[in-house]
C-alpha cells in the first residue's frame, strides 16, 4: 500500500488548462473538467451542471450572470481526486487544493445553452 499524500488546504497559484467535455446526467447536460491536480498529482474530475443555473444566476458557486462571462472568466473548483490524503475531513474529496481552471471552450457552452 502506498503512503498517504498530506491533505493541504491551499490555493494553487496558476490557472490550469483542464479538458472540458459535455456529459449527460439524469437527462441534464453538464460540463465536466478533467485534469491532474498540480498539488497532489492525482487525476481529478469535476462536473458543473446542469449548465443553465451556472449561467443564469450570478455570483455563487461559479454561476455566471451572463453567458459571455462563462467564456472569459476562470472557473474555480477544489481538487476532487480519489487519492488517499490524510488528515482529510470525512465529508470532503480531493487533497484540499483550490484550483482555478481556464474557462471551457465557447463551442461547448453554446451547445449547452440551447438545451
Amino acid at each position: 500500500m502506498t503512503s498517504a499524500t498530506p491533505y493541504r488546504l491551499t490555493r494553487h497559484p496558476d490557472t490550469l488548462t483542464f479538458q472540458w467535455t459535455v456529459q449527460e446526467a439524469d437527462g441534464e447536460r453538464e460540463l465536466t473538467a478533467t485534469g491532474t491536480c498540480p498539488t497532489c498529482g492525482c487525476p481529478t474530475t469535476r462536473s458543473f451542471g446542469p449548465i443553465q443555473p451556472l449561467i443564469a444566476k450570478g455570483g455563487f458557486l461559479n454561476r455566471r450572470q451572463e453567458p459571455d462571462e462563462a467564456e472569459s472568466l476562470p472557473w474555480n473548483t477544489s481538487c476532487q481526486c480519489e487519492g488517499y490524503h490524510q488528515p482529510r475531513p470525512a465529508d470532503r474529496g480531493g487533497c484540499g487544493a483550490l484550483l482555478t481552471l481556464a474557462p471551457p471552450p465557447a463551442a461547448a457552452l453554446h451547445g449547452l445553452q440551447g438545451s
Side-chain angles (χ1 to χ4, degrees), residues 34-76:
T34 305
T36 300
C37 174
T39 300
C40 68
C42 296
T44 183
T45 299
R46 171 68 196 272
S47 292
F48 299 89
I51 194 65
Q52 186 58 34
L54 297 176
I55 292 176
K57 300 180 191 257
F60 181 69
L61 294 178
N62 301 317
R63 294 177 180 168
R64 308 302 194 219
Q65 292 181 352
E66 300 294 333
D68 58 342
E69 288 181 354
E71 295 176 21
S72 60
L73 297 176
W75 294 52
N76 297 301

Side-chain angles (χ1 to χ4, degrees), residues 5-9 37 39-40 42-45 78-99:
T5 303
Y7 182 81
R8 303 180 205 109
L9 191 57
C37 174
T39 300
C40 68
C42 296
T44 183
T45 299
S78 59
C79 175
Q80 297 291 311
C81 78
E82 296 180 8
Y84 184 55
H85 303 285
Q86 278 291 76
R88 182 172 66 196
D91 62 341
R92 300 253 175 105
C95 70
L98 302 173
L99 308 175

